[in-house]
Amino acid sequence: MATYDLSVTVRTKYLPEQSRPERDEYLFSYTITIRNTGEVPAQLISRHWVITDANNRVQEVAGLGVVGHQPLLKPGEQFEYASGTPLATPQGSMHGEYFCVAEDGHRFEVKIPEFVLTLPSMLH
Protein backbone atom coordinates (compact mmCIF):
# COMPACT_ATOMS: atom_id res chain seq x y z
CA MET A 1 0.00 0.00 0.00
CA ALA A 2 1.31 3.45 -0.93
CA THR A 3 2.21 5.98 1.74
CA TYR A 4 0.91 9.53 1.56
CA ASP A 5 2.91 11.99 3.61
CA LEU A 6 4.33 15.48 3.53
CA SER A 7 6.76 16.76 6.17
CA VAL A 8 6.55 20.36 7.29
CA THR A 9 9.34 22.44 8.84
CA VAL A 10 8.94 26.04 9.99
CA ARG A 11 11.30 28.94 10.67
CA THR A 12 9.91 32.08 12.31
CA LYS A 13 11.15 35.65 12.60
CA TYR A 14 9.93 38.77 14.38
CA LEU A 15 9.81 41.84 12.09
CA PRO A 16 10.55 44.85 14.34
CA GLU A 17 10.73 47.28 11.42
CA GLN A 18 7.11 46.48 10.46
CA SER A 19 5.76 46.26 14.03
CA ARG A 20 4.26 48.98 16.20
CA PRO A 21 4.41 47.77 19.82
CA GLU A 22 2.92 51.06 21.06
CA ARG A 23 -0.23 50.10 19.08
CA ASP A 24 -0.13 46.41 20.06
CA GLU A 25 0.88 45.43 16.53
CA TYR A 26 3.58 42.75 16.29
CA LEU A 27 4.37 41.33 12.85
CA PHE A 28 5.96 37.91 12.40
CA SER A 29 7.13 36.12 9.28
CA TYR A 30 7.35 32.37 8.90
CA THR A 31 9.08 30.30 6.24
CA ILE A 32 7.65 26.85 5.62
CA THR A 33 9.29 23.97 3.80
CA ILE A 34 6.97 21.20 2.63
CA ARG A 35 8.63 17.97 1.46
CA ASN A 36 6.88 14.97 -0.06
CA THR A 37 8.11 12.11 2.12
CA GLY A 38 5.49 9.72 0.74
CA GLU A 39 5.59 7.42 -2.28
CA VAL A 40 3.00 9.16 -4.51
CA PRO A 41 3.05 12.62 -6.12
CA ALA A 42 0.68 14.89 -4.20
CA GLN A 43 -0.74 18.38 -4.62
CA LEU A 44 -1.39 20.83 -1.81
CA ILE A 45 -4.92 22.10 -2.43
CA SER A 46 -5.75 24.26 0.59
CA ARG A 47 -4.68 25.31 4.07
CA HIS A 48 -6.26 26.02 7.45
CA TRP A 49 -4.47 27.96 10.18
CA VAL A 50 -5.37 28.58 13.82
CA ILE A 51 -3.49 31.63 15.13
CA THR A 52 -3.62 32.34 18.87
CA ASP A 53 -2.15 35.36 20.65
CA ALA A 54 -1.05 35.56 24.30
CA ASN A 55 -4.53 36.83 25.30
CA ASN A 56 -6.05 33.62 23.84
CA ARG A 57 -7.64 35.53 20.95
CA VAL A 58 -7.99 33.03 18.12
CA GLN A 59 -8.05 33.84 14.42
CA GLU A 60 -8.69 31.16 11.81
CA VAL A 61 -7.49 31.49 8.23
CA ALA A 62 -8.43 29.09 5.44
CA GLY A 63 -8.07 29.21 1.69
CA LEU A 64 -6.83 27.63 -1.47
CA GLY A 65 -3.13 26.93 -1.84
CA VAL A 66 -0.29 28.78 -0.17
CA VAL A 67 0.85 32.24 -1.32
CA GLY A 68 -1.02 31.77 -4.61
CA HIS A 69 0.41 28.31 -5.35
CA GLN A 70 -0.95 24.77 -5.23
CA PRO A 71 2.35 22.92 -5.56
CA LEU A 72 2.45 19.40 -6.97
CA LEU A 73 5.31 17.55 -5.29
CA LYS A 74 6.80 14.30 -6.51
CA PRO A 75 8.32 12.02 -3.84
CA GLY A 76 11.44 13.73 -2.48
CA GLU A 77 10.55 17.16 -3.90
CA GLN A 78 10.00 20.18 -1.67
CA PHE A 79 8.34 23.58 -1.85
CA GLU A 80 9.29 26.54 0.33
CA TYR A 81 7.33 29.72 0.89
CA ALA A 82 7.26 32.69 3.24
CA SER A 83 4.26 34.45 4.71
CA GLY A 84 3.43 36.43 7.81
CA THR A 85 0.86 37.27 10.41
CA PRO A 86 0.18 40.16 12.77
CA LEU A 87 -0.45 39.60 16.48
CA ALA A 88 -1.80 41.99 19.12
CA THR A 89 0.67 40.54 21.66
CA PRO A 90 4.45 39.97 21.53
CA GLN A 91 3.94 36.22 21.70
CA GLY A 92 1.55 33.70 20.17
CA SER A 93 1.36 30.43 18.29
CA MET A 94 0.09 28.87 15.09
CA HIS A 95 -0.92 25.39 13.98
CA GLY A 96 -3.08 23.95 11.26
CA GLU A 97 -3.29 21.55 8.37
CA TYR A 98 -2.83 21.26 4.65
CA PHE A 99 -5.40 19.41 2.57
CA CYS A 100 -3.80 17.41 -0.24
CA VAL A 101 -4.77 15.17 -3.14
CA ALA A 102 -2.39 12.50 -4.38
CA GLU A 103 -1.93 11.79 -8.08
CA ASP A 104 -3.99 8.61 -7.67
CA GLY A 105 -6.95 10.59 -6.26
CA HIS A 106 -6.38 9.74 -2.59
CA ARG A 107 -7.20 12.72 -0.32
CA PHE A 108 -5.28 13.29 2.91
CA GLU A 109 -4.51 15.91 5.55
CA VAL A 110 -1.09 16.96 6.76
CA LYS A 111 -1.04 18.33 10.30
CA ILE A 112 1.17 21.37 10.87
CA PRO A 113 2.49 21.10 14.44
CA GLU A 114 2.13 24.13 16.68
CA PHE A 115 4.96 26.63 16.50
CA VAL A 116 5.62 29.71 18.62
CA LEU A 117 5.84 33.32 17.44
CA THR A 118 7.76 35.42 19.92
CA LEU A 119 10.13 38.36 20.23
CA PRO A 120 13.77 37.19 20.41
CA SER A 121 14.14 38.81 23.85
CA MET A 122 11.32 36.61 25.20
CA LEU A 123 13.00 33.29 24.35
CA HIS A 124 14.58 31.42 27.26
Side-chain angles (χ1 to χ4, degrees), residues 15-85:
L15 303 174
E17 67 283 354
Q18 296 178 38
S19 298
R20 301 207 182 339
E22 70 280 2
R23 293 189 194 163
D24 292 330
E25 294 173 6
Y26 301 87
L27 194 66
F28 296 89
S29 71
Y30 52 91
T31 301
I32 296 193
T33 304
I34 305 161
R35 175 183 288 277
N36 186 339
T37 52
E39 299 170 346
V40 181
Q43 185 171 19
L44 188 156
I45 301 299
S46 64
R47 77 210 179 277
H48 173 240
W49 287 109
V50 178
I51 306 163
T52 307
D53 72 15
N55 294 326
N56 283 323
R57 281 188 293 242
V58 175
Q59 177 186 1
E60 293 198 45
V61 179
L64 291 176
V66 289
V67 295
H69 297 277
Q70 290 180 314
L72 173 62
L73 301 173
K74 294 180 179 142
E77 287 185 338
Q78 68 181 35
F79 179 79
E80 185 173 277
Y81 72 95
S83 190
T85 191

Side-chain angles (χ1 to χ4, degrees), residues 7 13 18 24 28 48 63-64 68 76 90 92 98-100 106 116:
S7 69
K13 184 178 178 187
Q18 296 178 38
D24 292 330
F28 296 89
H48 173 240
L64 291 176
Y98 294 128
F99 300 96
C100 304
H106 179 78
V116 173

